[in-house]
Amino acid sequence: MIRYIAFVLTLAFAGIALPALAQSEEEEAFENELSYGLNINSNGGLIGGAFVRSAYTINDNMLQFGALEIVEVKHPREQRFYSGETGDSFIRGKQNFLFVVRPHYGRELVLFRKAAESGVQVNAIGAVGPSLGFLVPYYIRYNYGQLGTPGDVRTEQYEPRKHTSIERIQGSAGVFNGIGEAHLNIGAHVKGGLSFEYGRYNESIAGVEVGVMLEMYTKELIIIPEANNNNRFTSVYLNIYYGRRK
């Protein structure tokens, strides 16, 4: 009788414990993750742009992801000047902004997995995709009248053969003046790097990604007409990201 009661109690305990254990295991089995953050790269100044990425689990050590990145690419010859008349800033010789939209597909391989509530996870990352490069006219305010007076100030796209006097440039007019005149250029890019995840819990994502990227276009993209311009860009990048798994 005692053995029978013990057997029933054991089954009852197992009936309670096993579902709880299965639920715990399910909570640790993540199928997808969403992250977003800021991009810093050697072609973009202090803050290059922003990105969002959605990843799905293939197996315990491999994920596939799709991402969208929007950045500004700057020319290495860019120098900021200030107008003696207004004090406003402008980039001498700049004719176009270059904004790039980069959708890409990639794989993420887990090299070192972190513990549940501590440690650092290291992943190897590779991705490839198209590059949509938008050349947006860079507008300046140019004084055609007498210096030192309001004169005849016009907002125009910079043209080196026309705007020959730097003293007459009163500042840039901002990106929104030329956004409706953007010209699309098609290219492609490939990138590879390492991701270091510092999230305290497995369902939280926080970390940095470092790597290199190569990007090529079908034609030369003119940013500063009086300098050397290219159709190929290489950069070192740093992504700072945050997100969650579920």
Side-chain angles (χ1 to χ4, degrees):
M1 184 67 177
I2 295 176
R3 290 181 179 178
Y4 176 78
I5 294 174
F7 179 72
V8 172
L9 291 174
T10 301
L11 289 179
F13 177 78
I16 296 173
L18 288 177
L21 179 61
Q23 183 179 4
S24 175
E25 290 177 349
E26 287 176 1
E27 290 175 353
E28 294 299 322
F30 301 102
E31 294 183 357
N32 58 72
E33 60 185 53
L34 180 67
S35 59
Y36 49 88
L38 297 176
N39 170 274
I40 302 170
N41 66 80
S42 56
N43 291 334
L46 181 60
I47 300 296
F51 69 93
V52 61
R53 180 171 64 187
S54 180
Y56 298 87
T57 300
I58 297 176
N59 55 49
D60 290 343
N61 295 312
M62 181 72 73
L63 296 90
Q64 62 179 347
F65 65 86
L68 181 66
E69 183 177 89
I70 301 175
V71 301
E72 181 186 0
V73 175
K74 297 184 177 181
H75 197 284
R77 287 275 304 275
E78 290 190 17
Q79 288 183 288
R80 187 169 296 277
F81 288 79
Y82 293 87
S83 168
E85 292 187 328
T86 66
D88 294 340
S89 66
F90 61 94
I91 306 299
R92 182 177 183 179
K94 185 165 184 169
Q95 191 173 57
N96 294 293
F97 292 100
L98 175 56
F99 296 104
V100 184
V101 178
R102 299 183 184 127
H104 50 257
Y105 169 82
R107 294 288 181 97
E108 191 168 353
L109 174 65
V110 179
L111 300 179
F112 301 100
R113 192 176 300 278
K114 71 182 180 70
E117 297 186 9
S118 63
V120 178
Q121 180 167 305
V122 182
N123 298 346
I125 293 177
V128 64
S131 293
L132 309 177
F134 293 89
L135 283 174
V136 178
Y138 182 79
Y139 276 84
I140 59 171
R141 302 193 308 276
Y142 195 82
N143 187 357
Y144 285 92
Q146 184 178 356
L147 292 177
T149 65
D152 180 14
V153 179
R154 306 176 194 175
T155 298
E156 301 175 329
Q157 183 181 11
Y158 173 76
E159 173 57 55
R161 291 174 295 182
K162 183 177 182 180
H163 305 118
T164 56
S165 174
I166 190 172
E167 290 80 11
R168 294 183 177 274
I169 301 176
Q170 296 193 348
S172 68
V175 64
F176 294 106
N177 281 271
I179 198 73
E181 304 171 53
H183 296 282
L184 174 62
N185 299 270
I186 304 297
H189 69 276
V190 60
K191 61 189 296 187
L194 292 174
S195 171
F196 301 89
E197 183 187 315
Y198 300 97
R200 179 175 175 82
Y201 302 104
N202 275 339
E203 62 268 20
S204 298
I205 305 171
V208 298
E209 177 189 336
V210 295
V212 295
M213 190 197 68
L214 172 63
E215 185 168 57
M216 295 189 68
Y217 291 88
T218 56
K219 65 177 183 179
E220 187 178 86
L221 303 184
I222 307 299
I223 300 175
I224 297 180
E226 296 174 301
N228 291 326
N229 295 272
N230 300 298
N231 69 332
R232 182 178 68 179
F233 301 89
T234 58
S235 65
V236 178
Y237 71 87
L238 169 69
N239 287 339
I240 304 172
Y241 62 87
Y242 176 82
R244 295 191 66 83
R245 294 189 179 95
K246 61 181 181 178

